[in-house]
Amino acid sequence: MDQFDVIIVGAGPAGITAALILGNAGLVTAVVEKERFPRSKTCGDGITPDVIHQLGKISPELQHKLIQVTETTAYDKLILTAPNNRTVVVPLREDRGFSRMYACRRIDFDRMMFDHLKQQGTVQIIEDCKVRSVEADQYAVKVNTSKGMLTAGLVIGTDGANSVVSKALRLTEMYGSDKAFAVRAYFRGIDYGEHGISPRVIFYRKLLPGYFWVFPFKDGSANVGLGITLGIIKKHHLKLEELLKQMTTSKEWQQMFRNAKKEGKVKGHIIPLGERGRPVSGQRILLAGDAAGLAHPLTAEGIGNAIRSGRIAAAHAQTCFLQDCFSSSFNKNYDKEIYRHMANEFRNFRNIQRLFRYPAILNSMARLASPRMVEILTNPDTITRLLAWRFLPFRLFCLMIRNR
């Protein structure tokens, strides 16, 4: 029976982040991954400024590596389209540090992080190893895997939306409004028109408060997909694969997709959306990333908060060993720290998500989005202040009216 200080289940962004920090801290750490790298992961492939910022906090080398690798595509503007087809162009200015958007296929992004961890040589990596169950008591955690039993003082579950580790906490099932479902396919030969190879986010009436996206790559291909909350899908009996086909063959987008060819199959995945107060820990167990349900409530982007939660989990794990305390009550401090960093984001964007169900609101926002307003809202300092505001939707509308 192999014994470790910490076992991290899942080698996605949250797990790799925690492993990098704990390995350097001197704790005997293992990362258990059910697949063998490189492995595919269904995702929109968009890399937000927050992801770049979070990478810089764990490793400036990793941050610059992502920007410089040939698999990464950089964007200098984002194109938003309201339900009435009004377009807003959002400049992504490079002179604001890492405020640009990028695209990188998840198979390449995750492999880059995984290879960086292997190069450090500070943790044991166990690939092609499925975790069957996790049992914790006051003395240790037992992790039953396809390669035998492992034990540790602490387990960090970063094993995604269908987390096996989270089952050990016996958490209540999330509501439909707390989850989104997204589908994506790769296309080649898309006509991007006057705006060139820039990402598109299209707010289509049938998808609200979800959206349709096109994230191009410089090799001529693009990630094309759409996502919406499970509650709306069930209420209206929507079939997302059919909706994706309708979008790419509709008259509205005929020019863009007239010569486009789909490559491979349409794939889908569940995304647990962030909500304040949901438990993310238990006795000798911490959850991070999608296993904790921390994706952005409006965009469903999850990599930024995955890396952020991996950092917080690693810091708390070190405190557990320093104080020799792993109880459920002590680990509530981890929950508090997670929501200290994310509660404002979850509250504000949950409220905006509710408003985005109404096309008239999105149409009004597009009409009020003057160049000055876009300039204000793409300033990182402004974004930080906005997230601290209460009643954000109301105050945002007031700000837009004053600067139209």
Side-chain angles (χ1 to χ4, degrees):
M1 184 183 296
D2 292 336
Q3 296 184 342
F4 302 91
D5 293 327
V6 182
I7 293 174
I8 299 168
V9 180
I16 296 295
T17 297
L20 284 167
I21 296 169
L22 292 174
N24 290 332
L27 290 172
V28 181
T29 304
V31 176
V32 178
E33 166 59 39
K34 67 180 179 180
E35 298 181 58
R36 185 168 292 279
F37 274 75
R39 51 103 168 101
S40 181
K41 173 80 165 67
T42 305
C43 181
D45 297 334
I47 305 296
T48 66
D50 184 46
V51 174
I52 303 298
H53 178 67
Q54 290 301 313
L55 284 175
K57 284 183 174 289
I58 57 172
S59 169
E61 178 188 350
L62 196 56
Q63 181 191 57
H64 287 286
K65 190 181 292 184
L66 171 68
I67 294 168
Q68 293 167 0
V69 294
T70 56
E71 293 87 356
T72 300
T73 301
Y75 302 129
D76 58 10
K77 59 179 174 288
L78 169 68
I79 314 300
L80 304 175
T81 303
N84 62 0
N85 285 335
R86 190 182 188 118
T87 295
V88 177
V89 179
V90 181
L92 301 171
R93 287 171 47 186
E94 197 168 11
D95 60 0
R96 292 184 176 173
F98 294 105
S99 63
R100 296 183 71 177
M101 266 189 74
Y102 298 84
C104 182
R105 288 180 176 82
R106 276 298 295 276
I107 189 171
D108 297 318
F109 181 88
D110 286 6
R111 178 175 55 192
M112 181 195 67
M113 292 196 72
F114 184 77
D115 289 346
H116 186 77
L117 178 64
K118 287 179 71 175
Q119 289 167 10
Q120 302 300 303
T122 55
V123 305
Q124 182 172 337
I125 300 170
I126 309 171
E127 295 180 80
D128 197 22
C129 181
K130 294 183 180 179
V131 172
R132 293 168 176 161
S133 64
V134 176
E135 296 179 14
D137 59 31
Q138 66 185 80
Y139 304 108
V141 190
K142 293 181 179 179
V143 181
N144 181 21
T145 79
S146 58
K147 293 187 176 181
M149 188 69 73
L150 308 174
T151 63
L154 183 74
V155 165
I156 302 177
T158 60
D159 48 338
N162 299 311
S163 170
V164 175
V165 178
S166 70
K167 292 176 182 176
L169 300 181
R170 296 177 175 84
L171 302 177
T172 56
E173 180 67 19
M174 292 182 187
Y175 295 108
S177 61
D178 291 337
K179 293 181 180 179
F181 192 81
V183 295
R184 69 99 175 107
Y186 290 108
F187 282 76
R188 190 173 291 275
I190 293 174
D191 182 355
Y192 297 104
E194 62 176 308
H195 295 297
I197 300 178
S198 301
R200 267 73 166 174
V201 172
I202 298 163
F203 293 100
Y204 186 56
R205 285 177 178 269
K206 287 186 179 181
L207 298 176
L208 299 180
Y211 60 92
F212 174 72
W213 72 77
V214 179
F215 290 149
F217 299 101
K218 57 189 175 186
D219 68 358
S221 63
N223 183 315
V224 179
L226 52 85
I228 193 169
T229 61
L230 279 183
I232 299 295
I233 292 172
K234 291 176 180 178
K235 181 179 179 180
H236 298 289
H237 307 288
L238 300 177
K239 296 182 179 179
L240 266 61
E241 190 168 346
E242 289 184 11
L243 275 173
L244 182 63
K245 184 176 181 180
Q246 288 176 25
M247 287 292 293
T248 56
T249 57
S250 68
K251 289 182 179 179
E252 290 175 283
W253 309 108
Q254 187 177 30
Q255 179 70 23
M256 182 180 285
F257 288 96
R258 60 178 178 173
N259 296 317
K261 302 293 182 183
K262 183 164 67 71
E263 297 180 328
K265 296 180 179 180
V266 175
K267 294 188 176 181
H269 63 295
I270 290 283
I271 307 168
L273 303 176
E275 176 65 86
R276 292 179 297 160
R278 185 184 297 134
V280 292
S281 69
Q283 183 172 247
R284 293 185 179 273
I285 294 174
L286 309 176
L287 301 177
D290 277 354
L294 302 176
H296 194 287
L298 181 63
T299 66
E301 191 280 324
I303 300 176
N305 276 344
I307 297 173
R308 182 177 284 106
S309 62
R311 289 174 43 233
I312 298 169
H316 182 79
Q318 291 175 75
T319 305
C320 287
F321 283 94
L322 284 171
Q323 300 189 21
D324 193 25
C325 194
F326 304 88
S327 66
S328 296
S329 58
F330 183 78
N331 286 340
K332 287 296 180 186
N333 293 317
Y334 170 68
D335 296 48
K336 290 176 183 177
E337 190 66 7
I338 284 287
Y339 293 117
R340 185 176 73 84
H341 286 271
M342 304 181 197
N344 281 341
E345 174 186 292
F346 292 163
R347 180 187 66 241
N348 284 325
F349 285 102
R350 282 265 174 181
N351 290 334
I352 290 176
Q353 183 210 72
R354 294 183 184 103
L355 293 176
F356 275 21
R357 296 176 184 177
Y358 305 102
I361 289 176
L362 283 159
N363 292 337
S364 296
M365 291 183 74
R367 180 171 53 83
L368 294 170
S370 65
R372 173 173 165 74
M373 189 66 226
V374 171
E375 176 83 9
I376 291 170
L377 291 179
T378 52
N379 186 308
D381 294 333
T382 303
I383 293 169
T384 301
R385 291 199 303 272
L386 285 175
L387 289 177
W389 284 357
R390 296 186 67 83
F391 313 111
L392 175 60
F394 173 75
R395 297 183 72 170
L396 184 60
F397 265 106
C398 291
L399 184 66
M400 295 184 78
I401 290 170
R402 286 201 309 268
N403 292 279
R404 60 183 173 178

